[in-house]
Amino acid sequence: MPTAILTGQPVPGSSIESELRSLGFDVHLASDAADTETLLARAPGEERVAVVDARFVGHPHALRLGLTDPRFPLAAIPGAVTAQPAARQALTRAMARENSAGGGSAQGGAPARAKPSVGEVDSLADRITTALDADGADVHRPELGSLVAAVPADPQARNEARQAVAAVDDEAVRLKSAVKARDGFVTTFLISPYSRYIARWCARRGLTPNQVTTASLITALIAAGCAATGTRAGFVAAGVLLIASFVLDCTDGQLARYSLQYSTLGAWLDATFDRAKEYAYYAGLGLGAARGGHDDVWALALGAMVLQTCRHVVDFSFNEANHDASANTSPTAALSDKLDSVGWTVWVRRMIVLPIGERWAMIAVLTALTTPRITFYALLIGCAFSATYTTAGRVLRSLTRKAVRTDRAAKALADLADSGPLAEAAARGLRTAARRLPGFTAPAVALLGGAAVVATAALTDFGGPGPLVAAIVYVLTSALAVARPLKGALDWLVPPFFRAAEYLTVLVLAAKADVNGALPAAFGLVAAVAYHHYDTVYRIRGDAGAPPQWLVRTIGGHEGRTLVICVLAVLLTATQFKVALTVLAVAVALVVLVESIRFWVAAHKVGAPAVHDEGEPA
């Protein structure tokens, strides 16, 4: 149980002790700094500890935000400071300094602390926070907004603070803050107005965000099963259940914000299950079309997954390339910021990118009212338009900004590239050539190599040697593209070009095989590989680094897998190729899933820093 040390004498009518206990703290009273230091030393080292001024007046949710958020090792609000086990040493050091100063001498022979002037509040918690700042510690200070957190200096100030507390509805603020600050139109206006109350209902019954996330996944899988029936009733039920799954998907994040139940495992589950739900639903539509109307839409389903995954890779790569770029200015970015200041343009721009709320609503309605083929056509057209819009804007930003990209950004892009042993070995021999080539740009080389292998597979007969030759060229161009650090203005395009080349090669060769079951097998293979690529992104986002090299080498890297697929297409019959795709899909899925689950569960158990995605809607 976390420990809260209440310093000083509580004033009459104070509820601070009971409020701390309601937040799960084991409360101990300390009369002075020396007593506080003693209690701090006795507190369990594996638990959170907080120092709170007994005169504190404020909202319970202000205390919750300041003292219970698991994402930050150190946090403070006026009159309270807290540390998780990883930051306990810094807190202990600051506490010792304050105790020494209050006792007559400071560290380094500094004079004793002067008495506070008239009207100034002498709060030990605030002095500790100041000492932590002086040590260069990263102390998180949550945005309280209209919430009150204060240590009044006298009875009049205390009465005014209590009146300010009474004037603001703590629960209303908590509910409002449970909703993500930036989200799509559908989520903001059609889901969040009531899903926040579902989140509160879940919190009051002890449900966790991970349980709600799992319920959302189960609901989506049932929706996919309904779509797979191929009946009109099944399609209607699938659309309704997909919306229900999205409501739960919103609820889990709102529950995490409402109750501050953030975790490394939860962030991974939320992000991973979103992709699993959507792509499983695509598969359900593919099965339903074949069963209900004898319509083969597997190529469209796979194409939708490829397009959506490449869109996400563009987002991830661009953000990583510019995560810590210096001199990060652009006229295009300035125009975008200006448009975001006008109300109606904000929502138009958010809807154009077809975020998850708009996308799932469109899929659900079209599933219920039309056919899987029409649903996929609309999805492909919408996603293609939004991908063109967002990518063009990012290209313009990259070309017009003056920025120096860091080694960290280059490393992240290299990890996202997912180069295997073939590309790595060839890159070592091509570094000199890459430096000498006139007008060399990594994205151009990656695009040309990828386009060559996809076009060759599409324009030649299945079983011919053309794709194999093109795949060998692709290995060399892939190596050349990553032979130098990816620090160019448009080098963030390299990973999405690689993704498109690999996925589209699988799609085209499976379609050219023209045998029943080849495209579903290709869908499974691309889904397994895409999971690996998403997992790489989530590890980088969580500052955990890329997956281990042994994993990348075991599954071959993007260029190795592309070469293997082309070799199989040349050596095997169409039926054998289908079987090989199935075996490869199962093998890749088992390897990446086992390693991914092992990593994230281990990270959760050892207390890795909790993360939570508050960025752009997916």
Side-chain angles (χ1 to χ4, degrees), residues 525-566:
L525 175 59
V526 172
V529 175
Y531 177 88
H532 163 64
H533 291 143
Y534 280 115
D535 188 55
T536 301
V537 169
Y538 303 142
R539 294 195 195 206
I540 294 173
R541 278 185 169 182
D543 291 327
Q549 279 297 308
W550 72 261
L551 176 65
V552 177
R553 293 192 177 103
T554 298
I555 59 176
H558 72 95
E559 82 292 346
R561 290 187 298 270
T562 303
L563 181 61
V564 167
I565 293 299
C566 291

Side-chain angles (χ1 to χ4, degrees), residues 474-547:
Y474 176 67
V475 171
L476 296 176
T477 56
S478 299
L480 186 60
V482 297
R484 296 191 303 187
L486 297 175
K487 293 186 176 182
L490 296 177
D491 283 0
W492 54 269
L493 286 169
V494 170
F497 284 160
F498 286 164
R499 296 297 82 76
E502 179 184 0
Y503 298 164
L504 288 175
T505 298
V506 176
L507 189 160
V508 170
L509 288 176
K512 297 287 284 189
D514 196 23
V515 61
N516 188 34
L519 281 168
F523 188 97
L525 175 59
V526 172
V529 175
Y531 177 88
H532 163 64
H533 291 143
Y534 280 115
D535 188 55
T536 301
V537 169
Y538 303 142
R539 294 195 195 206
I540 294 173
R541 278 185 169 182
D543 291 327

Side-chain angles (χ1 to χ4, degrees), residues 113-126:
R113 178 183 300 276
K115 292 183 178 181
S117 60
V118 177
E120 180 184 348
V121 178
D122 184 26
S123 171
L124 176 60
D126 291 343

